[in-house]
Amino acid sequence: QVQLVESGGGLVQSGGSLRLSCAASGLTLQFYAIGWFRQAPGKVREGLSSISASGSDTIYTDSVKGRFTISRDNAKNMVYLQMNDPEPEDTAVYYCAAPRAGGFFSGGLGPYDYHYWGRGTQVTVSS
């Protein structure tokens, strides 16, 4: 049974920092690219960043480039999203996701590229 669980969300002030974690079970993360997404109330799910299985290739959407950093620790079966200088517009539920199969997909920001999703963690940024 594949399960992804996000953690690390909470309330943070503008100019602060936060690190989100994605833990996997039933799936060996080292074989899978992983994506981070977010969804704010009334808005579509937005792809933020992805990282290839080896960690050598990363993708960022323009709105978070230079502020957020994706990383992974395959020995711990974990993927992280470091959020620096968050803004109120970053308030959303944040999700991590994995594709149906590893080995061919190296990452991307489209939700249809992914099959397994966590339940999300709320991030609220105050001004």
Side-chain angles (χ1 to χ4, degrees):
Q1 188 74 40
V2 173
Q3 186 175 43
L4 302 178
V5 179
E6 303 92 343
S7 62
L11 178 64
V12 64
Q13 288 187 319
S14 296
S17 65
L18 202 65
R19 189 178 77 162
L20 307 183
S21 299
C22 176
S25 62
L27 180 154
T28 303
L29 271 190
Q30 69 180 89
F31 301 122
Y32 292 82
I34 298 294
W36 279 100
F37 295 77
R38 70 185 179 192
Q39 189 164 20
K43 296 188 176 181
V44 300
R45 189 162 296 188
E46 177 187 18
L48 303 177
S49 184
S50 69
I51 186 167
S52 62
S54 68
S56 61
D57 296 317
T58 58
I59 300 171
Y60 296 92
T61 193
D62 287 343
S63 65
V64 306
K65 189 175 298 182
R67 298 188 298 121
F68 295 2
T69 303
I70 192 170
S71 63
R72 65 192 304 152
D73 186 342
N74 286 337
K76 297 181 178 180
N77 229 32
M78 299 282 287
V79 174
Y80 306 98
L81 185 69
Q82 178 69 40
M83 303 173 59
N84 293 332
D85 194 26
E87 303 167 356
E89 294 74 24
D90 296 317
T91 295
V93 177
Y94 283 69
Y95 303 87
C96 64
R100 187 181 299 273
F104 293 98
F105 179 65
S106 61
L109 302 181
Y112 294 155
D113 291 330
Y114 299 89
H115 180 72
Y116 301 106
W117 296 82
R119 289 189 172 93
T121 185
Q122 176 71 45
V123 173
T124 302
V125 184
S126 62
S127 61

